[in-house]
Amino acid sequence: MENLEKLQAFLKTPKNIVITTHQKPDGDAMGSSLALYNYLIEFGHTIRIITPTEFPAYFQYLPKCDEVWNYLENPRLSQIAIEAADIIFCLDFNDLSRVDPLNNYIEKNEKAKLVLIDHHLFPKVNADWVLHDVKACSTCELVYRFLEMFDTNYTPTQSVAECIYTGILTDTASFSNGATNKKALEITAHLLDCGLNIIYVQEQLNQNGREEKLRFLGHALYRNMIIKEDIGIGIIVVDKKDAYRFNLQTGDTEGLVNYPLTIKNVKVAILLKQEPKIIKLSFRSKGDYSVEKICREHFEGGGHRNASGGRSFSTVGETIEKIISIFEKENLV
Ligand code: 5GP
Ligand code: MN
């Protein structure tokens, strides 16, 4: 990070800090924000973590998660906090549109310094300090590396360790996807020395669910999955009726997109989630094939080579047709 010493000097005295992360925060977004919070709070700053939307309830185990403000529940206070911020940390996103509508308040606060810590392709945030590395397995890896540089004598507390490990574990799909790197394993080994309990984190993430969510998984795979091995794709649809029938909560579809990839000839998996005004799309791929390009060029989105997202404004049927016609030309098989 360039001019790190200026940031160190800036944070020597207590500041009004806002930490924000992308809409529908995942484990990396929540983990990186709370890791930074749990570190900085020791130094007398006033800190608000503000998420643009709600986040999954199963992240409540993260230390100080109850301090996170969901803008949708707390719009006025969130706005005031952003307006009063001396410095805003932007974590786990590459474009201010990913925090909409917070971007409007961030852009209005011209005196606030901005720090970007992120690992998505093509960062577009114009920040005073930037730690950006697309090779990082997660933003949590980058927050760990940031703390190493920022405070050379620092040893992560158990709270910080749990937050950082959560982002590493979720963004690497438990050390199994293309984001997995040597640093992920090295950091995890060090966090174990710092008191991290990996069984506890994995229980909270994977063994703490609801029956409805498991029944929904069976239903989605049996009824709502289209496999087209001829063009190398698998599609799962979650419509409004399913969301109602299975009482789906925020985060309940996390990981669902990966299932079609368990089939040998499926190279790309796509999840279509019907939301009130749009269809939210999640793309995952195997190997070197980049779904980021597809999301950026066709679905107003982006992300990483093997995990990206976007949106569609058409119907479910039309969106499926569009996806199939794109992949008929991609020669995946
Ligand atoms: P997911 O499919 O889990 O929602 O997102 C996969 C990855 O793509 C995440 O890293 C996420 O931040 C990114 N992503 C998801 N949706 C969008 C989007 O609309 N725009 C951009 N730029 N990135 C996205
Ligand atoms: Mn991430």
Side-chain angles (χ1 to χ4, degrees):
M1 179 180 273
E2 269 180 47
N3 294 321
L4 178 67
E5 58 299 334
K6 286 200 180 136
L7 182 57
Q8 287 163 323
F10 187 77
L11 291 174
K12 272 253 153 62
T13 51
K15 291 285 183 301
N16 285 324
I17 298 177
V18 164
I19 299 173
T20 189
T21 190
H22 61 77
Q23 297 160 339
K24 302 273 166 89
D26 57 8
D28 192 31
M30 295 299 288
S32 57
S33 299
L34 283 159
L36 192 63
Y37 177 97
N38 280 288
Y39 168 75
L40 288 171
I41 200 70
E42 302 289 325
F43 300 93
H45 303 292
T46 301
I47 313 177
R48 295 288 167 216
I49 302 179
I50 304 172
T51 60
T53 66
E54 73 288 358
F55 50 85
Y58 51 72
F59 289 129
Q60 287 299 340
Y61 74 93
L62 289 169
K64 299 290 181 202
C65 191
D66 49 348
E67 297 287 327
V68 178
W69 286 1
N70 165 7
Y71 168 80
L72 298 177
E73 284 176 356
N74 234 337
R76 187 72 193 121
L77 288 177
S78 301
Q79 187 184 338
I80 290 169
I82 294 173
E83 279 164 4
D86 303 310
I87 183 162
I88 301 173
F89 284 83
C90 300
L91 300 188
D92 200 36
F93 64 88
N94 56 357
D95 187 327
L96 281 174
S97 66
R98 297 277 289 138
V99 293
D100 181 62
L102 305 185
N103 51 342
N104 301 312
Y105 310 125
I106 294 173
E107 276 158 6
K108 255 193 241 156
N109 182 347
E110 287 174 4
K111 76 166 191 347
K113 307 275 183 203
L114 285 194
V115 185
L116 175 72
I117 304 182
D118 181 46
H119 67 137
H120 292 89
L121 289 157
F122 310 120
K124 286 195 211 99
V125 181
N126 192 5
D128 299 274
W129 290 279
V130 176
L131 181 56
H132 183 268
D133 183 357
V134 294
K135 295 211 177 74
C137 72
S138 55
T139 298
C140 277
E141 172 187 328
L142 293 174
V143 167
Y144 176 96
R145 282 162 49 185
F146 171 74
L147 295 179
E148 263 185 335
M149 293 184 287
F150 186 80
D151 186 345
T152 44
N153 294 320
Y154 180 65
T155 301
T157 59
Q158 193 175 340
S159 298
V160 170
E162 277 169 11
C163 295
I164 290 176
Y165 179 65
T166 293
I168 291 178
L169 195 65
T170 52
D171 259 26
T172 62
S174 302
F175 304 97
S176 70
N177 67 17
T180 314
N181 59 14
K182 188 176 164 197
K183 192 75 183 168
L185 296 156
E186 284 173 352
I187 294 172
T188 302
H190 182 222
L191 296 180
L192 283 168
D193 286 339
C194 301
L196 169 70
N197 182 343
I198 56 173
I199 303 300
Y200 169 73
V201 174
Q202 107 85 15
E203 280 172 356
Q204 294 301 316
L205 282 173
N206 301 319
Q207 296 175 340
N208 201 20
R210 297 164 14 256
E211 180 182 339
E212 282 165 321
K213 182 179 165 183
L214 190 59
R215 300 259 174 223
F216 160 70
L217 171 64
H219 170 84
L221 298 181
Y222 190 56
R223 295 271 179 210
N224 295 345
M225 183 167 71
I226 302 162
I227 297 298
K228 288 194 66 68
E229 288 192 69
D230 55 329
I231 54 172
I233 67 169
I235 301 173
I236 298 177
V237 178
V238 180
D239 64 21
K240 287 182 200 157
K241 280 199 303 273
D242 292 336
Y244 181 74
R245 178 174 166 195
F246 293 96
N247 185 25
L248 291 189
Q249 318 272 310
T250 304
D252 278 355
T253 55
E254 193 67 41
L256 179 60
V257 61
N258 292 303
Y259 283 93
L261 293 181
T262 61
I263 298 169
K264 188 175 171 194
N265 292 325
V266 172
K267 304 288 192 286
V268 171
I270 304 115
L271 180 76
L272 275 72
K273 225 167 88 184
Q274 208 175 25
E275 293 191 351
K277 289 191 186 139
I278 58 159
I279 296 173
K280 179 80 185 87
L281 298 166
S282 285
F283 283 71
R284 299 291 184 271
S285 67
K286 287 178 187 166
D288 293 339
Y289 183 76
S290 174
V291 282
E292 192 275 339
K293 188 167 172 284
I294 300 285
C295 286
R296 187 161 33 84
E297 289 180 358
H298 300 282
F299 297 107
E300 300 185 13
H304 313 282
R305 185 187 65 186
N306 298 113
S308 281
R311 71 210 67 223
S312 162
F313 300 91
S314 328
T315 63
V316 169
E318 285 163 0
T319 307
I320 292 174
E321 274 173 27
K322 178 171 171 182
I323 291 167
I324 290 174
S325 90
I326 291 168
F327 284 99
E328 276 171 347
K329 298 179 204 107
E330 284 294 301
N331 295 321
L332 286 179
V333 285

